[in-house]
Amino acid sequence: MINLVTCYENGEGTEKNVEKAFYWYQKVGENEVKLVCNECKQLYIDYQWCQQCNTKRFQQDFSKWTSKNEFVDKFIQEAQLNAKNSYEFLEWIPYNILSGINYYDKGGFSEIHKAIWLDGPIYSWNFNKQQWNRCNFQTGYEVILKTLNSSSDIDSKFLDEVYYLYLVVILFFYA
Ligand SMILES: [Zn+2]
């Protein structure tokens, strides 16, 4: 499975496919023997995921980002505090971290664009560097962008939908 990740990541013997690489990366995680956290010495609850320590790390950064929408901030914070693995939480990221934004399709209510998230989503904590490890396959991580006409479109139903979608969705706000 690890070999599959590398093959899809680099396009070795197959077409390059970041979605498939990430899929197999997660499969590795599901099947790996759970190990112990380097910091608190407690058993990981999922692949390289210590909820206790990661909750603290997320919490320390709460003051470093804001969507300028209290409701959205709270929703993201709660997802981060309750995350039991690396694909159960949301992050707020700055717009300038996206590149190659291209029109992709028209959804039910809005346009959909594709883009590359340069440093990619968090998947574990790096104890040596004391920072998050991010999944970017060297070339960035492909994401879907959903455009909203105004931040008033955001309610709990919409956010729940975003949260349960497998794809990473980033919200655009128009002032
Ligand atoms: Zn820990």
Side-chain angles (χ1 to χ4, degrees):
M1 284 188 280
I2 290 170
N3 289 339
L4 270 175
V5 175
T6 318
C7 291
Y8 280 125
E9 197 177 311
N10 303 318
E12 286 166 15
T14 181
E15 269 186 23
K16 195 167 166 167
N17 188 321
V18 286
E19 278 99 0
K20 281 188 180 164
F22 190 57
Y23 171 82
W24 285 108
Y25 169 79
Q26 288 180 328
K27 281 279 169 213
V28 173
E30 286 163 19
N31 290 284
E32 198 96 332
V33 180
K34 287 181 181 126
L35 296 168
V36 166
C37 169
N38 244 344
E39 209 158 288
C40 70
K41 308 297 173 202
Q42 303 227 46
L43 212 62
Y44 281 137
I45 60 162
D46 205 323
Y47 181 65
Q48 293 192 1
W49 196 263
C50 178
Q51 190 177 14
Q52 192 178 295
C53 291
N54 286 346
T55 296
K56 277 186 217 152
R57 291 171 191 133
F58 282 131
Q59 220 159 9
Q60 280 165 5
D61 286 346
F62 280 0
S63 59
K64 292 179 189 158
W65 58 267
T66 177
S67 67
K68 294 181 185 152
N69 177 319
E70 211 180 309
F71 187 69
V72 174
D73 281 1
K74 236 182 157 294
F75 190 86
I76 296 174
Q77 286 174 4
E78 256 165 50
Q80 292 188 343
L81 295 179
N82 295 318
K84 288 181 176 58
N85 55 53
S86 63
Y87 33 98
E88 245 186 34
F89 68 91
L90 303 166
E91 277 184 81
W92 183 262
I93 61 165
Y95 183 78
N96 63 12
I97 229 164
L98 299 168
S99 84
I101 298 169
N102 269 311
Y103 176 79
Y104 180 59
D105 203 359
K106 206 165 160 58
F109 300 98
S110 60
E111 283 185 356
I112 293 166
H113 289 71
K114 271 193 173 182
I116 300 295
W117 178 357
L118 292 173
D119 56 357
I122 286 168
Y123 67 87
S124 65
W125 180 257
N126 189 317
F127 292 97
N128 296 328
K129 294 185 188 162
Q130 285 294 303
Q131 66 182 42
W132 295 107
N133 285 320
R134 287 176 177 276
C135 180
N136 56 29
F137 309 112
Q138 265 96 55
T139 50
Y141 185 89
E142 198 168 68
V143 292
I144 300 291
L145 308 177
K146 187 166 168 161
T147 311
L148 295 174
N149 294 322
S150 83
S151 54
S152 61
D153 291 349
I154 297 164
D155 56 17
S156 57
K157 194 174 155 270
F158 174 80
L159 287 175
D160 281 339
E161 186 191 311
V162 168
Y163 185 67
Y164 288 109
L165 271 177
Y166 182 75
L167 293 167
V168 178
V169 178
I170 296 155
L171 315 176
F172 278 29
F173 295 106
Y174 285 131

